[in-house]
Amino acid sequence: MITEAQVARAEQGFARLRATIAGAIVGQTRVVEVALWGLLSGGHVLLEGVPGLGKTLLVRTLAHALGLTFSRIQFTPDLMPADILGTNVFTEGEGFRFLPGPIFAHIVLADEINRATPKTQSALLEAMQERQVTAGGTTHPLEEPFFVLATQNPIEMEGTYPLPEAQLDRFLFKAEVTYPEEKELVEIIRRNTEGGGIALPAPVMSREDVLSAREVVAAYPVPGPLMEYAARLVLATHPRPGALETVKRYVRYGASPRGGLALIWGAKAHAFLAGRHHVEAGDIRTAALPALVHRLVLTFRAEAEGITPHRIVAEVLEEVPAP
Amino acid sequence: MEAQALLMRSLKLLRLRRGLGGAAFASTGLLLCGAVLHLLGGDLPPLAWAVVPVGAAIGALLPRDLERGLLWAGRRLGVGGRLAALWLVLAREEGGLAELLRRELCETKLEWIRLLTGRGTAATALSLSLSLAAFLLLPPISPSTGVVPSSELKEAVLPEEATSEPAPETEVAVQPAAPERLALPEDVATSLPFQDLLAEIYGLTPTEGPLASGELTDEVQAQQGLLRQLAQELSQLAPGGLSQTEQRALLPLIQQLAREDLREQLVRLVEQADEEAAQQAVQAMEAVRRAEEELMQKGSTPTARAGKGTEAGQGEGQPALATASGEGGVPAAGERPESLGEELAEEEGELAGLAPGEDSSGGEEPPLGQATAKPVAPEVRPGEGGARGYLAAGVPVEPEGAAPGDTAAYSPEEAELVLRARGVPLELRGVVRRYFEILSQGGD
């Protein structure tokens, strides 16, 4: 049962966390917001953006501010699953023992995940979904909070392996890291070139605080009509009879049921971060893009005509009436 | 306020709103039905109004989606989804969140009346008002221009004698065409014959078309008053005749008489200035009044009886129709004035089987004041003698060019005009009219 004090502590803790991140990261408020949605809802976040936009800094700042363990995995084509998950090693006198990989951390940065081979990607994504690692017949659970932030370069490059749709679906949200504005860029340069550089923040929240905040967000009530609205939004992305002409024309596969879950989790987290204790339809609409865009599989015609999933989701939001 | 109390108040107001909506919906439907029935000439049965409380009860008690209702209520009250969220966390026994939500709700000034207002309420009130206006203001459609209630239709279709018999259902659905009103033939005057006859008695026969009915009545009344005044003046004369002053006083009144022959006789009598002459003048005027009375009596009789004119021709108490005249050229009581006598004598001749215009006395006009014995006219039966000729003349009950199946009809006044224009004698008009009435009803 959620208490008032628990709610208040969670709200205060995340207020401090946001302020701390804002002191370290210039701009990218939307990306930070979506990252916090993932943290609060227990999902994983895919960050898409070209190198050098502060994705790694964001994740490291978040981990430090939360006082959680952090590991970074730089995905390369020769990265093997054992390099991520860990492996059984033989030591004299002890026999085989499991040596945990970098995935055994609270916050994992999977950098440039699309550079690894599908086999390695699959190992990571399976661990993300199952929240456990099985090696040598032994299952090793991953300690909560287990939060993966993966980045991928949108520029198609040689030697990359785009994530298949089924694996993209494992990420609850997707955020796009965009180029900073001029003022933001000036501030970034100034912070990195003056003084001793960027200092990582001290922890402002504990692991328990994060788990408690997750409980609070999970307890947020969502009325039935809002659940139905989320379901209608998800179904509206499917090219079925009665769907929008744009959807029928440009979408090959619509969002999966995980899209509906992402909508509600995102709405709850957004309401919590907005200081409310209830969810509105506007929260669902706000969560729609990060929750749905990476779940749409577009047709070749859409790619040829430059139609993006963002446009599809925006049209769906316009057409589906809110309760 | 407790969280439960907040929710209960919201739910009660929502029920009230739905109840009002149900009642308004039922009322609107009922009023529209009533308006339609009113147009058709019917009325709503009193029991139908029971639909309104039933609609209210259905609206209030029908189970609805509470979360959706509370979501709507929260928006109306400006608290968003807090009411619905409060409902849910109370159901899950999430005390912390419930207290937070309750506090937020209590910090907001809730205008509960907003749950009973809004566009939906306005639309409901508008539809209710329009339906009420239609129910109250729409006039019923008349049977000739619209749908006729079956009860009225039955009365219209069935003859009076058959109303007690059960009518076949198909007969109710058939609406009979109203009898077509026919234009009178061109040779038929459009004024009423009774008034024309009255005008003739008083010498008011118009020379340029018929007078309007109102004007003619006024003229007749003026002549009547004049005659009464003259009769009163003459009856009050002192024995020994009229003085010159009295003569000068009477002459202007006499000159106002429209009837020329009467005027000349009265002038002549007044100039004689003796009591006997004065009495004769009074009797002459009395004869005119009696002629009027006789005419009015006949005019009020639906069918003139043949043979009555014969009795009048014997001079028995019917001065306007009498053919005898007193000696000395002064019309005695029971005698008729000359010009009026011409027409009436013509009618009497016709009764006796003579052609119109032929006098029964052999064409000689009896001198004024000379009593003349008139032959008794034979009894005239419908379809015999002169009456046959009048029937054969074809009283135009059926207009020229009319199709055989036409149900055209004349009004009684118009039929009277036609009969008169075709020269059918007064005594026979009822017979002729009755003849064609029998024919038109399928008789022979």
Side-chain angles (χ1 to χ4, degrees):
Chain A
M1 181 173 164
I2 306 297
T3 62
E4 280 186 72
Q6 186 179 353
V7 176
R9 192 169 65 247
E11 287 176 347
Q12 291 164 6
F14 267 82
R16 287 195 303 271
L17 177 64
R18 294 174 81 180
T20 302
I21 294 174
I25 307 293
V26 178
Q28 306 292 357
T29 52
R30 179 68 171 168
V31 177
V32 172
E33 177 98 359
V34 173
L36 294 181
W37 291 359
L39 182 64
L40 284 167
S41 58
H44 309 288
V45 177
L46 177 64
L47 301 177
E48 186 175 86
V50 294
L53 293 180
K55 296 187 291 288
T56 306
L57 177 63
L58 167 65
V59 176
R60 290 182 65 186
T61 303
L62 185 63
H64 277 269
L66 291 172
L68 301 174
T69 56
F70 166 73
S71 65
R72 175 184 174 180
I73 308 169
Q74 182 65 48
F75 278 60
T76 55
D78 58 350
L79 188 71
M80 300 299 290
D83 298 334
I84 299 171
L85 305 177
T87 184
N88 286 318
V89 294
F90 183 82
T91 53
E92 195 172 350
E94 296 180 8
F96 284 97
R97 68 177 178 91
F98 181 68
L99 190 63
I103 200 172
F104 283 86
H106 293 121
I107 295 180
V108 177
L109 172 60
D111 213 359
E112 297 186 277
I113 190 173
N114 54 342
R115 283 186 174 273
T117 59
K119 183 178 181 180
T120 308
Q121 291 173 355
S122 180
L124 171 69
L125 295 169
E126 186 179 348
M128 287 166 53
Q129 181 65 30
E130 303 297 329
R131 295 178 183 269
Q132 62 186 18
V133 173
T134 302
T138 306
T139 300
H140 305 277
L142 298 169
E143 189 180 56
E144 291 290 343
F146 173 63
F147 180 39
V148 176
L149 278 154
T151 68
Q152 72 172 1
N153 194 330
I155 301 171
E156 195 169 324
M157 300 172 66
E158 196 171 343
T160 60
Y161 303 90
L163 288 172
E165 289 79 11
Q167 294 185 359
L168 278 174
D169 195 36
R170 308 287 174 90
F171 291 97
L172 200 59
F173 304 111
K174 177 185 175 185
E176 293 181 359
V177 185
T178 56
Y179 276 106
E181 300 290 332
E182 182 180 339
K183 281 185 181 178
E184 295 170 345
L185 185 57
V186 169
E187 180 64 20
I188 291 170
I189 295 171
R190 190 183 62 76
R191 288 189 186 185
N192 283 275
T193 56
E194 291 179 358
I198 297 174
L200 292 174
V204 293
M205 288 182 72
S206 65
R207 171 179 173 268
E208 288 71 24
D209 289 340
V210 173
L211 295 177
S212 176
R214 278 188 178 182
E215 285 182 11
V216 169
V217 171
Y220 266 39
V222 181
L226 295 185
M227 296 273 193
E228 294 165 8
Y229 178 51
R232 285 200 302 272
L233 286 176
V234 170
L235 292 175
T237 63
H238 288 252
R240 56 179 187 169
L244 295 176
E245 195 58 37
T246 309
V247 172
K248 283 197 253 185
R249 191 178 177 93
Y250 298 120
V251 177
R252 187 191 301 166
Y253 298 109
S256 70
R258 284 198 185 100
L261 301 180
L263 279 175
I264 295 301
W265 276 116
K268 286 185 175 188
H270 183 261
F272 171 79
L273 293 175
R276 286 185 274 109
H277 305 108
H278 67 283
V279 177
E280 300 278 3
D283 296 325
I284 296 177
R285 296 172 67 86
T286 304
L289 277 175
L292 297 179
V293 286
H294 61 291
R295 291 185 164 90
L296 300 185
V297 180
L298 302 187
T299 60
F300 176 75
R301 173 184 287 184
E303 292 181 17
E305 296 181 14
I307 303 297
T308 63
H310 299 75
R311 177 178 161 182
I312 304 291
V313 174
E315 286 196 21
V316 166
L317 285 173
E318 281 184 9
E319 295 298 325
V320 177
Chain B
M1 184 180 283
E2 290 295 322
Q4 293 280 3
L6 271 172
L7 288 173
M8 290 311 294
R9 178 178 287 188
S10 304
L11 292 175
K12 280 180 183 174
L13 286 171
L14 283 175
R15 281 190 191 281
L16 177 61
R17 179 187 175 89
R18 289 201 301 260
L20 290 174
F25 181 76
S27 301
T28 303
L30 195 64
L31 288 171
L32 287 176
C33 290
V36 172
L37 280 176
H38 186 60
L39 279 172
L40 300 176
D43 201 2
L44 280 176
L47 194 62
W49 293 101
V51 171
V52 178
V54 170
I58 290 175
L61 301 177
L62 205 65
R64 301 287 172 88
D65 187 348
L66 288 181
E67 292 178 25
R68 191 179 299 277
L70 288 170
L71 202 60
W72 178 87
R75 286 179 187 154
R76 290 292 301 164
L77 293 171
V79 295
R82 287 185 177 87
L83 276 175
L86 181 60
W87 170 266
L88 287 172
V89 295
L90 282 177
R92 296 176 195 164
E93 297 180 351
E94 292 283 0
L97 280 174
E99 180 57 25
L100 287 169
L101 288 168
R102 187 200 66 80
R103 202 177 299 155
E104 289 174 4
L105 287 169
C106 289
E107 286 171 359
T108 309
K109 186 181 178 183
L110 299 176
E111 297 178 17
W112 295 102
I113 190 65
R114 290 176 61 84
L115 292 186
L116 301 178
T117 59
R119 282 183 297 181
T121 308
T124 304
L126 180 64
S127 62
L128 193 59
S129 304
L130 290 176
S131 305
L132 186 63
F135 179 73
L136 294 178
L137 301 180
L138 276 182
I141 297 175
S142 65
S144 59
T145 58
V147 185
V148 184
S150 59
S151 58
E152 293 183 13
L153 194 59
K154 186 184 293 181
E155 290 175 5
V157 170
L158 297 177
E160 193 174 356
E161 295 80 4
T163 50
S164 59
E165 298 176 3
E169 290 182 5
T170 53
E171 197 173 9
V172 176
V174 177
Q175 181 177 358
E180 183 186 354
R181 305 304 304 173
L182 295 177
L184 289 171
E186 292 180 356
D187 58 342
V188 176
T190 55
S191 60
L192 292 176
F194 178 75
Q195 288 176 317
D196 286 356
L197 287 174
L198 265 182
E200 286 181 10
I201 288 173
Y202 286 101
L204 290 171
T205 305
T207 55
E208 294 179 359
L211 283 173
S213 176
E215 295 175 2
L216 200 57
T217 303
D218 293 342
E219 290 287 335
V220 167
Q221 287 176 350
Q223 291 295 315
Q224 288 171 335
L226 200 56
L227 281 177
R228 277 195 299 272
Q229 186 179 357
L230 277 170
Q232 188 177 4
E233 294 282 347
L234 289 171
S235 63
Q236 292 175 354
L237 289 177
L242 298 173
S243 64
Q244 287 190 349
T245 306
E246 289 170 337
Q247 287 178 3
R248 280 197 295 272
L250 286 173
L251 277 174
L253 293 174
I254 295 171
Q255 293 297 334
Q256 292 179 30
L257 288 172
R259 183 158 176 161
E260 189 178 2
D261 56 344
L262 183 59
R263 189 169 63 238
E264 289 175 357
Q265 289 176 25
L266 285 175
V267 168
R268 199 161 52 241
L269 290 171
V270 168
E271 284 174 348
Q272 289 178 3
D274 59 357
E275 188 175 355
E276 185 183 0
Q279 291 300 324
Q280 287 178 357
V282 170
Q283 290 172 1
M285 289 184 292
E286 191 64 25
V288 173
R289 289 185 58 190
R290 287 183 181 176
E292 175 195 350
E293 289 174 0
E294 173 68 15
L295 177 64
M296 292 182 72
Q297 185 179 358
K298 287 187 175 183
S300 62
T301 306
T303 54
R305 289 185 298 275
K308 189 173 181 179
T310 308
E311 295 171 358
Q314 292 171 342
E316 294 175 4
Q318 304 229 1
L321 296 176
T323 55
S325 46
E327 291 182 0
V330 178
E335 295 175 348
R336 60 181 179 180
E338 188 176 344
S339 64
L340 179 63
E342 286 177 7
E343 179 182 346
L344 297 178
E346 186 176 293
E347 293 179 355
E348 288 160 8
E350 291 161 6
L351 286 175
L354 299 176
E358 187 179 349
D359 191 79
S360 59
S361 61
E364 289 183 10
E365 180 70 18
L368 196 60
Q370 180 181 352
T372 306
K374 297 274 295 184
V376 177
E379 184 180 1
V380 178
R381 296 190 182 90
E384 292 183 6
R388 185 192 298 275
Y390 287 117
L391 292 175
V395 177
V397 173
E398 294 180 5
E400 294 178 3
D406 283 352
T407 57
Y410 284 121
S411 69
E413 291 81 9
E414 290 167 339
E416 187 69 22
L417 288 172
V418 171
L419 291 167
R420 173 175 164 74
R422 296 298 161 89
V424 177
L426 195 62
E427 290 76 18
L428 285 179
R429 287 175 196 167
V431 178
V432 174
R433 188 163 48 229
R434 182 63 183 156
Y435 173 79
F436 283 103
E437 284 172 356
I438 292 172
L439 283 184
S440 64
Q441 292 172 6
D444 54 14

